[in-house]
């Protein structure tokens, strides 16, 4: 029974990802990175012990993997200055998350979260304001 439920959820998640727009995929990536950083931050803020270091490391490495995917998705030819600026921001994320993971100290993470949330909100606004291809205007009458 549990396997069917898990399998169904996995299939639902796969379908959700496979049918999502590019903006929605980016929003999902930010959402998961934010979630993983918050897990690590919560453990660090409760003065996590050595037993929690594995979870901190796992969560921050997942966030780093996501930042890597976001970086790899940049198109410098089409994106111009925006792609270059995002590359700089993603490089900043990588440095700060790595530093937090090495030291197991949370000082860098609130700024990373603040910027990630801002970028996620910007993508949500872009996705919300895009034209709906199912609602076309008939200019011919």
């Amino acid at each position: 029974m549990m396997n069917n439920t898990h399998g169904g959820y996995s299939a639902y998640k796969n379908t959700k990802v496979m049918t999502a727009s590019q903006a929605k995929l980016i929003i999902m990536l930010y959402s998961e990175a934010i979630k993983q950083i918050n897990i690590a931050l919560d453990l660090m803020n409760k003065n996590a012990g050595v037993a929690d270091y594995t979870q901190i490391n796992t969560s921050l490495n997942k966030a780093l993997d996501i930042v890597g995917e976001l970086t790899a998705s940049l198109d410098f030819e089409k994106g111009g200055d925006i792609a270059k600026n995002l590359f700089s921001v993603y490089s900043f994320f990588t440095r700060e998350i790595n530093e937090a993971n090495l030291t197991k100290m949370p000082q860098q993470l609130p700024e990373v979260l603040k910027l990630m949330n801002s970028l996620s909100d910007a993508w949500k606004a872009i996705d919300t304001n895009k034209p709906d291809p199912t609602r076309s205007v008939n200019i011919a009458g």
Side-chain angles (χ1 to χ4, degrees), residues 47-64:
N47 295 321
V50 175
D52 294 318
Y53 285 1
T54 300
Q55 180 59 53
I56 293 168
N57 184 61
T58 299
S59 293
L60 291 179
N61 279 328
K62 285 180 182 179
L64 284 169

Side-chain angles (χ1 to χ4, degrees), residues 23-41:
K24 284 200 183 342
L25 288 173
I26 293 170
I27 293 164
M28 284 187 236
L29 288 171
Y30 279 122
S31 177
E32 185 62 25
I34 290 165
K35 174 184 161 190
Q36 294 300 325
I37 292 170
N38 275 321
I39 289 169
L41 188 59

Side-chain angles (χ1 to χ4, degrees), residues 3-21:
N3 286 341
N4 286 339
T5 304
H6 179 69
Y9 178 71
S10 180
Y12 167 77
K13 274 180 60 177
N14 286 341
T15 300
K16 186 176 177 184
V17 169
M18 297 302 287
T19 60
S21 68

Side-chain angles (χ1 to χ4, degrees), residues 49-100:
V50 175
D52 294 318
Y53 285 1
T54 300
Q55 180 59 53
I56 293 168
N57 184 61
T58 299
S59 293
L60 291 179
N61 279 328
K62 285 180 182 179
L64 284 169
D65 287 345
I66 292 167
V67 172
E69 287 297 320
L70 290 166
T71 303
S73 73
L74 294 173
D75 184 336
F76 292 98
E77 287 183 27
K78 291 180 184 173
D81 287 341
I82 293 172
K84 289 177 189 171
N85 290 338
L86 283 172
F87 181 81
S88 294
V89 171
Y90 295 159
S91 295
F92 170 76
F93 289 166
T94 300
R95 279 191 312 274
E96 298 301 295
I97 294 169
N98 272 323
E99 180 67 23

